[in-house]
């Protein structure tokens, strides 16, 4: 049993076990010492995995759920370990990226389109907050509350929120969104997608939010010219999405949702830094998150400047 | 950013009225923000307007949340962010200068 890297909000442990003389490779997922209020509980995440799997999304196969807190100290679930690697910097620095990147982006588009076919209501997902009438405004209101809970002022993020409020897309729809669909949460095996990980933020929102998230510069890991997660340009991803979904991607809305994405990641980075500063969880990773917010702030100002 | 643009931004900011009193952004904060911006206006060098803002970003946040800043506040914000990145991540700043690389 070994602790896996990553997972600033949750902990993942690799289990190698024998079950009826069969070797199994599982991942045990449980809470980190300090979690974000916006992330789901393990039983809720387990339910999301099941729904995604039933829709044909390449989510890790859910094995078992234990919601009793007295077994290992917190609820947990087991899922099959998907092969491959998830580390974003390894994937985006792979010398063969140019060869497999476009096909991988096509696959990522297909997977996301399968997920976005799930629309409310879904009985087993009744724990999710009600589908928002206006997903963009809902996010704006949420992020303003998040900023209010932070100790310092963040003028660029306030400016971004005003811009997002004033420039909301006319047409918004609602579907099940992963809400953290980006490089780093994909298990990549031999250049292909093995599994979509980390369902802790999934919920009802505008599908364009997921697309803006994976297209945001903050998730390109230095491959700035490859819009889709630092993996490939946009077109193969769009082609993959449209091969599954009859709903066209509103490409003109992407800059709007990129601003939303940069804003969100900036706030999460500040929250993570605050978790460290508060003493709730002192790690170098969390401590280094705070200064990252300035990068997202500059991305926001550039995006808004281009859009005006 | 030219001094005239800063002046224009600050003049509008100085005409600020208090936002919703229920908000954490109180009248006192607005007054503090206006004071900081007024002190920024006294300098001839636009770059020197940054330290007072950096010392109390909550004050500028207050004005922006209250929508008491003009539309052209963006250059001032950019200077503020660039000043931060010069310290925390100059490599990122250099790469970002070429915005053609960031669709």
């Amino acid at each position: 049993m070994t602790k896996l890297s990553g997972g600033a909000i949750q902990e993942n442990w690799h289990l190698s076990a024998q079950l009826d003389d069969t070797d199994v490779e599982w991942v045990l997922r449980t809470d980190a010492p300090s979690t974000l209020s916006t992330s789901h509980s393990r039983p809720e995440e387990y339910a999301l995995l099941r729904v995604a799997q039933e829709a044909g999304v390449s989510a890790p196969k859910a094995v078992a759920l234990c919601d009793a807190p007295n077994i290992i100290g917190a609820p947990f679930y087991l899922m099959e370990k998907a092969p491959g690697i998830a580390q974003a910097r390894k994937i985006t620095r792979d010398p063969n990226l140019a060869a497999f990147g476009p096909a991988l982006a096509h696959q990522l588009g297909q997977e996301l389109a399968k997920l976005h076919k799930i629309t409310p209501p879904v009985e087993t997902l009744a724990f999710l907050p009600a589908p928002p009438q206006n997903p963009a405004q809902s996010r704006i209101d949420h992020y303003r509350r998040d900023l209010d809970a932070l100790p310092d002022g963040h003028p660029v993020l306030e400016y971004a929120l005003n811009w997002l409020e004033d420039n909301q897309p006319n047409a918004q729809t609602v579907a099940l969104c992963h809400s953290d669909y980006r490089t780093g949460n994909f298990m990549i095996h031999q250049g292909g997608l093995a599994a979509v990980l980390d369902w802790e933020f999934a919920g009802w929102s505008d599908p364009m939010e997921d697309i803006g998230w994976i297209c945001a510069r903050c998730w390109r890991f230095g491959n700035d010219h490859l819009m889709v997660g630092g993996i490939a340009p946009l077109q193969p991803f769009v082609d993959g999405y449209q091969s599954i979904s009859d709903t066209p991607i509103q490409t003109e809305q992407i800059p709007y949702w990129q601003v939303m994405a940069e804003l969100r990641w900036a706030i999460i980075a500040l929250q993570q830094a605050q978790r460290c500063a508060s003493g709730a969880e002192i790690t170098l990773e969390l401590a280094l998150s705070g200064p990252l917010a300035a990068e997202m702030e500059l991305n926001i100002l550039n995006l808004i400047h281009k859009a005006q | 950013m030219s001094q005239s643009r800063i002046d224009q931004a600050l003049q509008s900011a100085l005409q600020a009225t208090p936002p919703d009193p229920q908000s954490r952004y109180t009248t006192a904060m607005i007054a503090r923000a206006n004071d900081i911006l007024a002190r920024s206006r006294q300098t001839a060098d636009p770059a020197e307007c940054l330290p007072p803002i950096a010392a109390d970003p909550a004050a500028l946040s207050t004005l922006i949340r209250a929508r008491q800043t003009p539309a052209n506040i963006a250059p001032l914000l950019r200077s503020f962010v660039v000043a931060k990145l010069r310290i925390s991540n100059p490599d990122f700043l250099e790469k970002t200068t070429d915005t053609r690389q960031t669709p």
Side-chain angles (χ1 to χ4, degrees), chain A residues 19-42:
Chain A
L19 194 68
D20 297 333
D21 296 330
T22 304
D23 292 331
V24 293
E25 300 287 326
W26 288 338
V27 172
L28 182 155
R29 189 161 163 84
T30 188
D31 294 339
S34 171
T35 58
L36 289 180
S37 58
T38 50
S39 58
H40 297 306
S41 68
R42 286 337 93 222

Side-chain angles (χ1 to χ4, degrees), chain A residues 143-145 147-156 158-163 165-166 215 217 220 222-227 258 291-299 301-303 305-306 308, chain B residues 23-25 53 56-82 84-85 88-89 92-93 95-103:
Chain A
Y143 297 147
R144 282 206 171 110
R145 289 194 296 273
L147 283 184
D148 285 349
L150 289 168
D152 300 316
H154 299 280
V156 177
E158 296 284 358
Y159 174 77
L161 282 164
N162 287 355
W163 185 86
E165 194 161 57
D166 295 344
C215 289
R217 186 189 181 198
R220 294 180 200 165
N223 287 354
D224 288 339
H225 60 297
L226 300 174
M227 186 191 261
Q258 284 175 311
L292 289 177
E295 298 175 18
M296 276 70 88
E297 288 177 341
L298 191 57
N299 291 339
L301 291 172
N302 283 340
L303 283 163
H305 180 72
K306 276 188 192 176
Q308 285 172 337
Chain B
S23 164
R24 73 188 269 251
Y25 297 98
I53 295 170
D56 194 351
L60 187 55
S61 299
T62 302
L63 285 185
I64 294 171
R65 173 78 68 95
R67 290 182 178 269
Q68 297 298 331
T69 48
N72 64 357
I73 194 73
L76 187 66
L77 295 175
R78 176 177 293 276
S79 298
F80 176 51
V81 173
V82 166
K84 287 196 286 185
L85 285 168
S88 66
N89 195 345
F92 177 87
L93 190 59
K95 197 170 182 184
T96 304
T97 305
D98 185 0
T99 53
R100 291 169 302 179
Q101 293 293 311
T102 56

